[in-house]
Amino acid sequence: MTNVLVNERGAVLINKLLSIDGHENSISRVVTHVHSDHIKDLDKSLTICKNLIGTPLTLDWLVELGYKIPSDYIIKMDYGSRVSIGELKLELVKALHIPGSSQVVVTDEDGLKIVYTSDFKKPGIHTPILEADILVLDAVYGNPNYVREFDEYIEDILTDLVNQLLSKGPVIIYGYHGKLQEVMQLFRDKGVIAPYVLPPKVYNMTRIAEKYDLRIKDYVLLGSNEGAEVIKSGWFLLFTHVSSSNYVKKMKASEVILSGWEFKKPYRYLGNNRWLVAFSDHADFKGLIHYVVNSNPKTVIVNSVRSTYADLFANEVRKITKKDCIVMP
Ligand SMILES: [Zn+2]
């Protein structure tokens, strides 16, 4: 009998063989993507679990983020490939969230299918909706009020704003790792040709992403001679982690902060040439429900560790889908 649990650290556990996005004493640890709430206690897993499973980009990024992972410990899985762990078959499927993100599909010997979506956006468009017997999800925007009506247009709105600001001078973009590379690619796809200036960690992560399917081009390392040339030109985009704020003091630039926690308006002026744009890498409440309805599971498990309003969300799922819905832990 297959046993699916979520522990108090947010790990999704299947038969004590797999722990996904959190630590437990299991055979394998799976990492769906490199965001900090999904790689908690990874050091512990690296000493206790027998192997670490993820997409090639996710595993390369973990090394860049400072994790020492022995190469014989790693199982790199491309989307769609399969591996057996004990009696379970495991497959990673693409999720649109940050580069390298995956959903996890586990099938047991009786054919029972468990899907953990991890973080995703645009379900049914760029994130495949997977049918499941047991569907585990993190209701990041679990409150029915967490809806962004403008989500469909936000990529154009953000690009237009950045183009406008670029016509007046350099622009600094603040976001999380992964989201930064996603937005770099987005701007290129939308025809933005200004060079990018990147601090070392962002630069290295971008280079790694380009080994896979990102095509970002025309970016230079902050602190290099090339970087200094571009900065002197006064026409560039600087991408940096949301936690670093020391660049604007050194250069006169507009600033754009990417935030998932805005619902009323696509962007807001904060004063002092700073803008906050409601650019999220997560489906809103409607998107989460859309996934559940179309996945058509027998049981839904809401991971309360990485959800907001998990109980409220579970009630909505029961009301809308008439499905069995459990909040864990
Ligand atoms: Zn994430």
Side-chain angles (χ1 to χ4, degrees):
M1 227 341 238
T2 294
N3 189 16
V4 183
L5 285 173
V6 178
N7 75 11
E8 66 284 359
R9 295 180 289 272
V12 180
L13 311 172
I14 305 176
N15 282 5
K16 294 192 175 171
L17 288 170
L18 295 172
S19 65
I20 310 167
D21 288 3
H23 176 70
E24 189 59 66
N25 298 343
S26 61
I27 302 292
S28 300
R29 166 95 186 240
V30 183
V31 178
T32 63
H33 65 288
V34 301
H35 279 156
S36 57
D37 52 338
H38 293 257
I39 57 174
K40 259 194 223 157
D41 303 320
L42 191 58
D43 283 326
K44 224 186 263 174
S45 298
L46 288 170
T47 59
I48 291 170
C49 302
K50 282 212 173 68
N51 48 54
L52 179 69
I53 299 172
T55 61
L57 175 53
T58 294
L59 295 171
D60 283 3
W61 269 1
L62 287 176
V63 172
E64 177 55 35
L65 289 170
Y67 290 96
K68 305 235 175 317
I69 310 171
S71 57
D72 58 349
Y73 183 92
I74 280 176
I75 302 179
K76 283 188 182 180
M77 287 182 67
D78 289 318
Y79 296 129
S81 64
R82 278 176 205 173
V83 76
S84 292
I85 307 288
E87 68 276 15
L88 303 175
K89 286 205 169 40
L90 171 82
E91 181 184 350
L92 300 183
V93 175
K94 188 183 166 70
L96 184 72
H97 177 57
I98 62 169
S101 286
S102 64
Q103 310 184 64
V104 181
V105 184
V106 176
T107 314
D108 77 1
E109 60 224 319
D110 301 320
L112 182 90
K113 193 169 157 191
I114 302 136
V115 170
Y116 170 53
T117 65
S118 189
D119 293 338
F120 66 90
K121 67 177 172 183
K122 301 192 179 176
I125 306 169
H126 296 294
T127 297
I129 298 178
L130 306 171
E131 281 186 19
D133 295 302
I134 301 175
L135 177 69
V136 186
L137 83 173
D138 303 348
V140 178
Y141 296 112
N143 188 314
N145 293 325
Y146 291 160
V147 171
R148 289 176 296 264
E149 297 293 356
F150 46 79
D151 247 6
E152 214 182 310
Y153 315 105
I154 194 68
E155 295 179 351
D156 287 324
I157 293 169
L158 171 64
T159 310
D160 287 351
L161 174 69
V162 165
N163 273 328
Q164 258 181 52
L165 297 174
L166 260 177
S167 70
K168 294 178 211 145
V171 183
I172 304 174
I173 310 276
Y174 297 93
Y176 288 102
H177 290 310
K179 187 185 271 194
L180 291 173
Q181 283 75 20
E182 182 203 356
V183 170
M184 288 178 206
Q185 180 72 65
L186 168 73
F187 290 159
R188 289 292 184 245
D189 293 345
K190 298 268 180 199
V192 176
I193 53 168
Y196 297 165
V197 178
L198 310 179
K201 183 132 290 178
V202 179
Y203 180 86
N204 291 341
M205 290 184 75
T206 304
R207 286 195 64 148
I208 293 168
E210 280 210 312
K211 271 180 27 195
Y212 299 98
D213 51 358
L214 272 78
R215 297 287 170 265
I216 289 164
K217 292 179 193 141
D218 206 6
Y219 57 95
V220 293
L221 177 65
L222 181 72
S224 67
N225 291 339
E226 255 183 314
E229 284 297 312
V230 170
I231 289 173
K232 219 160 74 188
S233 80
W235 184 62
F236 62 90
L237 287 163
L238 189 150
F239 291 81
T240 187
H241 192 264
V242 75
S243 64
S244 59
S245 58
N246 46 353
Y247 299 114
V248 74
K249 292 188 192 109
K250 296 180 200 146
M251 54 182 84
K252 203 175 161 331
S254 306
E255 294 177 283
V256 172
I257 300 150
L258 304 172
S259 168
W261 289 97
E262 277 290 306
F263 301 97
K264 287 206 177 79
K265 286 198 282 182
Y267 61 82
R268 197 148 58 85
Y269 183 56
L270 302 172
N272 287 328
N273 272 332
R274 304 182 85 207
W275 302 79
L276 189 131
V277 178
F279 188 92
S280 176
D281 282 324
H282 295 275
D284 63 8
F285 175 80
K286 273 194 198 167
L288 289 168
I289 293 289
H290 180 72
Y291 195 113
V292 177
V293 168
N294 290 284
S295 164
N296 196 26
K298 292 184 187 76
T299 304
V300 181
I301 297 175
V302 179
N303 180 350
S304 62
V305 175
R306 284 188 290 267
S307 296
T308 57
Y309 299 94
D311 292 311
L312 184 61
F313 181 75
N315 273 335
E316 292 293 318
V317 168
R318 290 181 202 115
K319 214 163 68 191
I320 296 166
T321 68
K322 316 283 181 230
K323 303 282 181 199
D324 186 20
C325 186
I326 309 161
V327 175
M328 283 189 193

